[in-house]
Amino acid sequence: MIEVILMQRVEKLGQMGELVSVRPGYARNYLLPQGKAIRASKANLERFEQERVQLEAQNLKRREEAERVAERMDGLSVIIIRQAGESGGLYGSVSARDIADAAKEAGLTIGRSQVLLEQPIKTTGLTTVRVELHPEVHLPLTVNVARSPEEAEKQARGEDLRAEQQAEDESLEAELAAELSELGAASEE
């Protein structure tokens, strides 16, 4: 384990200024290169304590800006059109990059690393993902994945497309069964 000083809040790890122990690979590959932490040495501890007020003021300013953006973009929804099968399963998936690009078109400029996606989206429908505008500010973003703009509008209104598809399939099966019974009756004559 290696000790580092957090330069900003890191989810599930700690707040800015805390001294935490992490695995060397996590520090070396993630925290240190992204500037989220610095190594815990006497010189770094002293430097951090001297700059603490300035760093906290910068953090507060960035958080307030992120909160303003979150208020302005509250309720934001993006539409992503993808090819999918009849059951709604996508041919491929929707990734964080796709969501970031769609959000950029909707007026919210974010990077793919800011989209907190547990796993890629693999079915059509509405999904809510979290966008990290600041380590302490998250914005819920509704992602509407559909096969066409018309289908996206129906999903946004709350219509159940799968129920419509099932009803349509059942009516086709009933028609087919009726035709088959007619053919069977005609062949018996």
Side-chain angles (χ1 to χ4, degrees):
M1 298 297 266
I2 184 173
E3 290 212 329
V4 294
I5 305 165
L6 295 178
M7 299 300 283
Q8 65 183 39
R9 180 183 178 278
V10 178
E11 199 167 329
K12 299 179 184 170
L13 192 58
Q15 297 293 329
M16 180 172 146
E18 284 186 28
L19 191 67
V20 294
S21 294
V22 295
R23 293 182 183 263
Y26 184 55
R28 181 179 59 244
N29 298 324
Y30 179 69
L31 295 174
L32 298 174
Q34 292 196 8
K36 294 179 185 256
I38 56 174
R39 291 187 187 276
S41 65
K42 270 191 175 178
N44 281 345
L45 277 169
E46 290 171 11
R47 192 183 94 211
F48 179 79
E49 287 305 322
Q50 290 172 353
E51 297 174 359
R52 180 182 208 110
V53 173
Q54 181 183 359
L55 289 169
E56 286 177 351
Q58 288 174 346
N59 183 46
L60 184 64
K61 182 181 171 194
R62 285 194 309 265
R63 189 176 89 209
E64 288 172 352
E65 288 175 11
E67 286 172 348
R68 281 196 300 272
V69 169
E71 283 177 21
R72 201 174 71 237
M73 292 293 174
D74 191 36
L76 182 66
S77 177
V78 296
I79 297 173
I80 298 178
I81 305 298
R82 289 285 190 270
Q83 291 184 343
E86 291 301 316
S87 64
L90 296 179
Y91 301 137
S93 62
V94 175
S95 66
R97 174 180 280 142
D98 299 324
I99 295 169
D101 292 344
K104 197 171 288 180
E105 290 175 17
L108 177 64
T109 304
I110 55 173
R112 70 175 189 203
S113 62
Q114 291 176 286
V115 177
L116 305 177
L117 194 59
E118 298 295 320
Q119 67 243 5
I121 300 169
K122 297 187 179 211
T123 59
T124 59
L126 298 173
T127 306
T128 302
V129 298
R130 286 186 338 165
V131 175
E132 183 180 78
L133 299 175
H134 180 270
E136 299 171 25
V137 180
H138 293 91
L139 172 71
L141 177 68
T142 303
V143 180
N144 187 344
V145 181
R147 290 179 277 224
S148 67
E150 296 80 27
E151 187 176 297
E153 286 177 26
K154 287 181 180 179
Q155 285 178 172
R157 287 193 304 261
E159 294 180 25
D160 188 5
L161 298 176
R162 291 189 182 128
E164 287 179 22
Q165 186 65 40
Q166 284 177 337
E168 190 176 303
D169 290 347
E170 288 171 5
S171 68
L172 286 174
E173 286 177 17
E175 285 178 31
L176 185 61
E179 286 180 25
L180 286 174
S181 65
E182 287 175 20
L183 285 174
S187 65
E188 288 178 9
E189 292 177 1

